[in-house]
Amino acid sequence: MALQDKYKELIDAATQAGVSVSDQGGVLHIDGDVATGDVKDRLWQIYDKIDPNFTSGEVVLNVNARAFEGGKVKVVTQESNLNIRKGPGTDQPIVGKAAKGEIITLVSKANAQWWLVRTNDGEEGYSYAQYLEPVS
Amino acid sequence: MKQFRFISALALALVLMIGFNACKKVKDADLKTSIEQKFVANPDLKDVMVDVQKGIATLTGQVKDDATNTAAINMAKEVKGVKQVMSNITIAPPQPLVSDADATMQAALKDALKDNSGVVYEVKDGVVTLTGEVKKSDLPKLMQKVSALKPTKIENKLTIK
Protein backbone atom coordinates (compact mmCIF):
# COMPACT_ATOMS: atom_id res chain seq x y z
CA MET A 1 0.00 0.00 0.00
CA ALA A 2 2.98 2.26 0.53
CA LEU A 3 3.31 2.61 -3.23
CA GLN A 4 -0.32 3.76 -3.52
CA ASP A 5 0.30 6.38 -0.83
CA LYS A 6 3.60 7.64 -2.19
CA TYR A 7 2.22 8.07 -5.71
CA LYS A 8 -1.30 9.13 -4.70
CA GLU A 9 -1.12 12.44 -6.55
CA LEU A 10 0.10 10.73 -9.73
CA ILE A 11 -2.48 7.95 -9.50
CA ASP A 12 -5.31 10.45 -8.94
CA ALA A 13 -4.20 12.61 -11.86
CA ALA A 14 -3.79 9.55 -14.12
CA THR A 15 -7.18 8.15 -13.19
CA GLN A 16 -8.74 11.53 -13.82
CA ALA A 17 -7.07 11.66 -17.23
CA GLY A 18 -8.67 8.32 -18.02
CA VAL A 19 -5.69 5.96 -18.05
CA SER A 20 -5.33 2.66 -16.21
CA VAL A 21 -3.14 2.19 -13.14
CA SER A 22 -2.09 -1.26 -11.95
CA ASP A 23 0.40 -2.56 -9.41
CA GLN A 24 2.43 -5.31 -11.09
CA GLY A 25 4.86 -6.89 -8.67
CA GLY A 26 5.70 -3.69 -6.85
CA VAL A 27 5.83 -1.54 -9.97
CA LEU A 28 3.02 0.85 -10.83
CA HIS A 29 2.13 0.56 -14.48
CA ILE A 30 0.28 3.59 -15.78
CA ASP A 31 -0.82 2.98 -19.33
CA GLY A 32 -3.04 4.66 -21.84
CA ASP A 33 -3.85 7.59 -24.09
CA VAL A 34 -4.62 11.04 -22.76
CA ALA A 35 -6.38 13.95 -24.43
CA THR A 36 -3.40 16.22 -25.06
CA GLY A 37 0.36 16.51 -24.81
CA ASP A 38 -0.13 18.95 -21.94
CA VAL A 39 -1.85 16.26 -19.85
CA LYS A 40 1.04 13.91 -20.56
CA ASP A 41 3.59 16.56 -19.55
CA ARG A 42 1.64 17.27 -16.36
CA LEU A 43 1.74 13.59 -15.35
CA TRP A 44 5.48 13.47 -15.93
CA GLN A 45 5.94 16.61 -13.82
CA ILE A 46 4.04 15.01 -10.93
CA TYR A 47 6.09 11.81 -11.31
CA ASP A 48 9.35 13.84 -11.26
CA LYS A 49 8.18 15.72 -8.16
CA ILE A 50 7.43 12.52 -6.19
CA ASP A 51 10.45 10.58 -7.46
CA PRO A 52 13.12 13.12 -8.50
CA ASN A 53 14.97 11.97 -11.62
CA PHE A 54 12.86 8.79 -11.74
CA THR A 55 15.41 6.65 -9.91
CA SER A 56 13.17 4.49 -7.70
CA GLY A 57 12.10 2.05 -10.42
CA GLU A 58 8.60 2.01 -8.95
CA VAL A 59 6.71 3.42 -11.92
CA VAL A 60 6.45 2.72 -15.62
CA LEU A 61 4.57 5.71 -16.99
CA ASN A 62 3.47 5.07 -20.55
CA VAL A 63 0.94 7.73 -21.45
CA ASN A 64 0.64 9.28 -24.86
CA ALA A 65 -1.46 12.02 -26.32
CA ARG A 66 -4.18 10.46 -28.44
CA ALA A 67 -3.23 10.75 -32.09
CA PHE A 68 -5.53 10.30 -35.04
CA GLU A 69 -4.46 9.08 -38.44
CA GLY A 70 -4.84 11.92 -40.91
CA GLY A 71 -4.46 14.45 -38.09
CA LYS A 72 -1.70 16.96 -37.44
CA VAL A 73 1.32 16.29 -35.22
CA LYS A 74 4.00 18.58 -33.89
CA VAL A 75 7.71 17.69 -33.93
CA VAL A 76 8.85 17.58 -30.29
CA THR A 77 12.53 16.69 -30.59
CA GLN A 78 14.95 17.96 -27.92
CA GLU A 79 16.81 20.31 -30.24
CA SER A 80 17.64 18.60 -33.52
CA ASN A 81 15.56 18.06 -36.64
CA LEU A 82 13.42 14.94 -36.85
CA ASN A 83 14.57 12.27 -39.27
CA ILE A 84 12.03 10.91 -41.71
CA ARG A 85 13.04 7.47 -42.89
CA LYS A 86 12.20 5.13 -45.72
CA GLY A 87 11.03 2.39 -43.33
CA PRO A 88 10.32 1.89 -39.62
CA GLY A 89 13.78 1.57 -38.02
CA THR A 90 16.96 3.61 -37.44
CA ASP A 91 18.73 1.29 -39.87
CA GLN A 92 16.54 2.70 -42.66
CA PRO A 93 17.83 5.50 -44.95
CA ILE A 94 16.79 9.07 -44.17
CA VAL A 95 14.48 10.47 -46.84
CA GLY A 96 13.65 13.80 -45.25
CA LYS A 97 13.75 16.01 -42.17
CA ALA A 98 11.23 18.00 -40.17
CA ALA A 99 12.28 20.92 -38.00
CA LYS A 100 11.63 21.06 -34.25
CA GLY A 101 8.21 22.63 -33.68
CA GLU A 102 7.07 22.01 -37.25
CA ILE A 103 3.52 20.72 -37.66
CA ILE A 104 3.20 17.81 -40.08
CA THR A 105 0.59 15.20 -40.99
CA LEU A 106 0.28 11.78 -39.35
CA VAL A 107 -0.62 9.49 -42.25
CA SER A 108 -0.80 6.21 -40.36
CA LYS A 109 0.66 4.36 -37.36
CA ALA A 110 2.94 1.57 -38.62
CA ASN A 111 3.36 0.40 -35.01
CA ALA A 112 3.57 1.92 -31.53
CA GLN A 113 7.09 3.21 -32.17
CA TRP A 114 7.06 4.27 -35.82
CA TRP A 115 4.53 6.46 -37.55
CA LEU A 116 4.19 7.28 -41.24
CA VAL A 117 4.20 11.06 -41.63
CA ARG A 118 4.06 13.60 -44.44
CA THR A 119 5.71 17.01 -44.33
CA ASN A 120 4.18 20.12 -45.79
CA ASP A 121 6.60 19.76 -48.72
CA GLY A 122 5.04 16.39 -49.44
CA GLU A 123 7.96 14.29 -48.16
CA GLU A 124 6.63 11.02 -46.77
CA GLY A 125 8.31 8.51 -44.50
CA TYR A 126 8.57 7.02 -41.03
CA SER A 127 9.43 8.91 -37.86
CA TYR A 128 9.84 7.89 -34.24
CA ALA A 129 6.45 8.35 -32.54
CA GLN A 130 7.88 9.67 -29.27
CA TYR A 131 9.08 12.78 -31.13
CA LEU A 132 5.59 13.54 -32.41
CA GLU A 133 2.78 15.08 -30.42
CA PRO A 134 -0.75 15.47 -31.73
CA VAL A 135 -2.13 18.98 -31.98
CA SER A 136 -5.82 19.65 -31.94
CA MET B 1 75.72 -71.94 -38.98
CA LYS B 2 75.55 -70.76 -35.42
CA GLN B 3 76.32 -67.28 -36.59
CA PHE B 4 73.56 -67.45 -39.20
CA ARG B 5 71.09 -68.56 -36.56
CA PHE B 6 72.08 -65.68 -34.35
CA ILE B 7 71.61 -63.23 -37.22
CA SER B 8 68.22 -64.62 -38.17
CA ALA B 9 67.13 -64.53 -34.54
CA LEU B 10 68.24 -60.92 -34.40
CA ALA B 11 66.40 -60.17 -37.63
CA LEU B 12 63.30 -61.83 -36.30
CA ALA B 13 63.55 -59.83 -33.12
CA LEU B 14 63.97 -56.68 -35.15
CA VAL B 15 60.97 -57.50 -37.32
CA LEU B 16 58.93 -58.26 -34.24
CA MET B 17 60.01 -55.03 -32.61
CA ILE B 18 59.15 -52.96 -35.66
CA GLY B 19 55.90 -54.83 -36.02
CA PHE B 20 55.10 -54.34 -32.36
CA ASN B 21 55.85 -50.62 -32.55
CA ALA B 22 53.83 -50.21 -35.72
CA CYS B 23 51.00 -52.11 -34.15
CA LYS B 24 51.13 -49.87 -31.08
CA LYS B 25 51.07 -46.73 -33.22
CA VAL B 26 48.05 -47.95 -35.13
CA LYS B 27 46.41 -48.78 -31.86
CA ASP B 28 46.80 -45.21 -30.50
CA ALA B 29 45.38 -43.83 -33.73
CA ASP B 30 42.52 -46.32 -33.56
CA LEU B 31 41.78 -45.37 -29.97
CA LYS B 32 41.76 -41.70 -30.95
CA THR B 33 39.30 -42.46 -33.77
CA SER B 34 37.09 -44.56 -31.48
CA ILE B 35 36.92 -41.80 -28.87
CA GLU B 36 36.24 -39.14 -31.51
CA GLN B 37 33.44 -41.25 -32.97
CA LYS B 38 31.81 -41.43 -29.55
CA PHE B 39 32.18 -37.68 -29.10
CA VAL B 40 30.58 -36.89 -32.47
CA ALA B 41 27.26 -38.17 -31.14
CA ASN B 42 27.27 -35.44 -28.47
CA PRO B 43 27.13 -31.85 -29.84
CA ASP B 44 28.32 -30.54 -26.46
CA LEU B 45 31.68 -32.16 -27.18
CA LYS B 46 32.24 -30.62 -30.60
CA ASP B 47 35.04 -28.41 -29.28
CA VAL B 48 36.93 -31.24 -27.57
CA MET B 49 40.10 -32.59 -29.15
CA VAL B 50 41.55 -36.02 -28.47
CA ASP B 51 45.15 -37.18 -28.44
CA VAL B 52 46.26 -40.71 -27.53
CA GLN B 53 49.84 -41.61 -26.66
CA LYS B 54 50.67 -45.13 -25.50
CA GLY B 55 47.08 -45.78 -24.54
CA ILE B 56 46.78 -42.57 -22.52
CA ALA B 57 44.08 -40.29 -23.89
CA THR B 58 44.44 -36.56 -23.39
CA LEU B 59 41.37 -34.36 -23.90
CA THR B 60 41.65 -30.64 -24.62
CA GLY B 61 39.21 -27.91 -25.59
CA GLN B 62 36.18 -26.31 -24.00
CA VAL B 63 32.80 -27.55 -22.77
CA LYS B 64 29.84 -25.78 -21.20
CA ASP B 65 30.03 -27.31 -17.69
CA ASP B 66 31.64 -29.80 -15.30
CA ALA B 67 29.07 -32.52 -16.01
CA THR B 68 29.96 -32.45 -19.71
CA ASN B 69 33.66 -32.69 -18.83
CA THR B 70 32.95 -35.75 -16.65
CA ALA B 71 30.82 -37.27 -19.39
CA ALA B 72 33.67 -36.82 -21.88
CA ILE B 73 36.16 -38.50 -19.53
CA ASN B 74 33.81 -41.43 -18.94
CA MET B 75 33.11 -41.85 -22.64
CA ALA B 76 36.83 -41.96 -23.39
CA LYS B 77 37.42 -44.47 -20.56
CA GLU B 78 34.77 -46.77 -22.01
CA VAL B 79 36.85 -47.27 -25.17
CA LYS B 80 38.60 -50.62 -24.87
CA GLY B 81 42.37 -50.23 -24.79
CA VAL B 82 42.38 -46.79 -23.20
CA LYS B 83 44.51 -47.09 -20.08
CA GLN B 84 44.01 -43.64 -18.69
CA VAL B 85 42.22 -40.40 -19.52
CA MET B 86 43.71 -37.00 -18.78
CA SER B 87 41.40 -34.04 -19.17
CA ASN B 88 42.72 -30.56 -19.88
CA ILE B 89 39.23 -29.44 -20.83
CA THR B 90 38.27 -25.95 -19.71
CA ILE B 91 34.76 -24.92 -18.69
CA ALA B 92 33.21 -22.10 -20.71
CA PRO B 93 32.00 -19.06 -18.75
CA PRO B 94 28.20 -19.15 -18.39
CA GLN B 95 26.29 -17.50 -21.23
CA PRO B 96 23.62 -15.01 -20.16
CA LEU B 97 20.23 -16.27 -21.21
CA VAL B 98 18.48 -13.81 -23.48
CA SER B 99 14.82 -14.45 -24.13
CA ASP B 100 13.15 -13.48 -27.39
CA ALA B 101 11.16 -10.75 -25.65
CA ASP B 102 14.35 -9.31 -24.16
CA ALA B 103 16.08 -9.42 -27.54
CA THR B 104 13.14 -7.59 -29.13
CA MET B 105 13.22 -4.96 -26.38
CA GLN B 106 16.98 -4.61 -26.76
CA ALA B 107 16.54 -3.96 -30.49
CA ALA B 108 13.73 -1.46 -29.84
CA LEU B 109 15.93 0.38 -27.32
CA LYS B 110 18.59 0.80 -29.98
CA ASP B 111 16.06 2.82 -32.03
CA ALA B 112 14.67 4.63 -28.99
CA LEU B 113 18.02 5.73 -27.57
CA LYS B 114 19.81 6.47 -30.85
CA ASP B 115 20.26 10.12 -29.83
CA ASN B 116 21.27 9.38 -26.22
CA SER B 117 24.86 8.38 -26.92
CA GLY B 118 25.98 8.50 -23.26
CA VAL B 119 23.34 6.01 -22.16
CA VAL B 120 24.00 2.28 -21.86
CA TYR B 121 21.02 -0.07 -21.67
CA GLU B 122 20.52 -3.70 -20.78
CA VAL B 123 17.39 -5.87 -20.72
CA LYS B 124 16.84 -8.86 -18.47
CA ASP B 125 13.44 -10.49 -17.94
CA GLY B 126 11.72 -7.36 -19.19
CA VAL B 127 13.61 -5.09 -16.77
CA VAL B 128 15.51 -2.29 -18.50
CA THR B 129 18.64 -1.10 -16.69
CA LEU B 130 20.03 2.27 -17.72
CA THR B 131 23.58 3.33 -16.90
CA GLY B 132 25.88 6.07 -18.13
CA GLU B 133 25.04 9.74 -18.12
CA VAL B 134 22.36 12.05 -19.38
CA LYS B 135 21.52 15.75 -19.24
CA LYS B 136 18.68 16.59 -16.83
CA SER B 137 16.78 18.23 -19.70
CA ASP B 138 16.98 15.03 -21.76
CA LEU B 139 15.91 12.73 -18.90
CA PRO B 140 12.07 12.96 -19.12
CA LYS B 141 12.08 12.32 -22.88
CA LEU B 142 14.50 9.44 -22.37
CA MET B 143 12.24 7.89 -19.71
CA GLN B 144 9.19 8.41 -21.94
CA LYS B 145 10.88 6.62 -24.82
CA VAL B 146 11.84 3.67 -22.63
CA SER B 147 8.40 3.52 -20.94
CA ALA B 148 6.70 3.42 -24.36
CA LEU B 149 8.35 0.04 -24.96
CA LYS B 150 6.36 -1.34 -22.00
CA PRO B 151 9.18 -2.73 -19.85
CA THR B 152 8.37 -4.61 -16.62
CA LYS B 153 10.50 -2.13 -14.72
CA ILE B 154 13.05 0.59 -15.37
CA GLU B 155 16.20 0.55 -13.22
CA ASN B 156 17.45 4.06 -13.74
CA LYS B 157 21.10 4.23 -12.61
CA LEU B 158 21.96 7.18 -14.82
CA THR B 159 24.25 9.94 -13.67
CA ILE B 160 22.65 13.33 -14.24
CA LYS B 161 25.05 15.79 -15.85
Side-chain angles (χ1 to χ4, degrees):
Chain A
M1 272 302 119
L3 217 52
Q4 315 287 334
D5 294 337
K6 181 174 173 185
Y7 293 96
K8 188 178 184 306
E9 190 184 347
L10 181 61
I11 294 167
D12 288 349
T15 310
Q16 203 183 0
V19 297
S20 73
V21 181
S22 64
D23 185 342
Q24 295 172 24
V27 181
L28 279 181
H29 283 255
I30 304 173
D31 257 293
D33 283 351
V34 294
T36 64
D38 287 347
V39 177
K40 173 182 175 169
D41 292 344
R42 176 84 192 111
L43 291 175
W44 277 92
Q45 280 161 13
I46 299 170
Y47 178 21
D48 196 14
K49 189 177 75 181
I50 302 171
D51 176 16
N53 296 335
F54 323 110
T55 54
S56 73
E58 292 165 336
V59 175
V60 175
L61 181 56
N62 178 27
V63 291
N64 294 290
R66 203 169 285 116
F68 298 98
E69 295 183 349
K72 294 285 178 190
V73 287
K74 190 170 136 188
V75 176
V76 286
T77 46
Q78 291 295 108
E79 48 232 13
S80 55
N81 290 335
L82 178 68
N83 288 327
I84 299 172
R85 294 174 184 273
K86 193 178 178 188
T90 53
D91 53 349
Q92 295 287 317
I94 296 167
V95 294
K97 301 245 185 203
K100 183 187 176 183
E102 198 178 324
I103 291 170
I104 57 177
T105 306
L106 165 62
V107 179
S108 65
K109 298 175 188 176
N111 58 47
Q113 273 72 52
W114 292 93
W115 290 353
L116 181 62
V117 293
R118 186 171 53 237
T119 64
N120 300 326
D121 302 335
E123 287 172 341
E124 209 171 276
Y126 294 84
S127 286
Y128 205 69
Q130 288 294 315
Y131 293 120
L132 296 168
E133 193 179 276
V135 287
S136 43
Chain B
M1 199 61 181
K2 245 187 187 174
Q3 208 172 17
F4 175 71
R5 235 192 238 168
F6 176 71
I7 288 169
S8 52
L10 202 71
L12 187 71
L14 207 70
V15 166
L16 277 173
M17 247 167 77
I18 291 164
F20 183 69
N21 268 341
C23 180
K24 206 173 154 193
K25 261 181 197 160
V26 169
K27 222 176 149 194
D28 278 348
D30 283 349
L31 290 174
K32 176 175 153 71
T33 309
S34 301
I35 297 168
E36 282 170 349
Q37 276 168 355
K38 284 180 91 107
F39 282 5
V40 166
N42 187 341
D44 287 345
L45 302 176
K46 65 176 168 52
D47 296 326
V48 175
M49 275 150 305
V50 183
D51 186 47
V52 181
Q53 295 292 333
K54 293 176 185 168
I56 299 170
T58 306
L59 310 180
T60 49
Q62 198 177 60
V63 295
K64 62 173 182 177
D65 54 22
D66 254 331
T68 311
N69 179 29
T70 310
I73 295 169
N74 289 337
M75 281 163 86
K77 273 184 186 163
E78 281 168 14
V79 173
K80 213 173 167 189
V82 172
K83 290 186 227 161
Q84 203 184 336
V85 179
M86 313 273 282
S87 175
N88 293 330
I89 290 173
T90 53
I91 310 297
Q95 293 287 319
L97 287 172
V98 179
S99 74
D100 284 353
D102 285 353
T104 305
M105 179 96 71
Q106 187 85 23
L109 280 165
K110 183 175 169 261
D111 276 358
L113 305 184
K114 182 184 79 72
D115 297 330
N116 303 95
S117 54
V119 177
V120 182
Y121 50 88
E122 196 186 290
V123 189
K124 177 113 178 68
D125 301 330
V127 177
V128 175
T129 304
L130 303 171
T131 50
E133 51 182 33
V134 69
K135 276 193 282 184
K136 171 71 188 170
S137 58
D138 288 344
L139 183 64
K141 192 81 215 166
L142 168 77
M143 292 299 285
Q144 286 167 17
K145 287 187 288 185
V146 177
S147 302
L149 303 175
K150 300 180 186 288
T152 311
K153 187 178 181 178
I154 304 169
E155 295 274 14
N156 171 13
K157 295 175 181 169
L158 290 162
T159 308
I160 310 296
K161 278 194 283 188

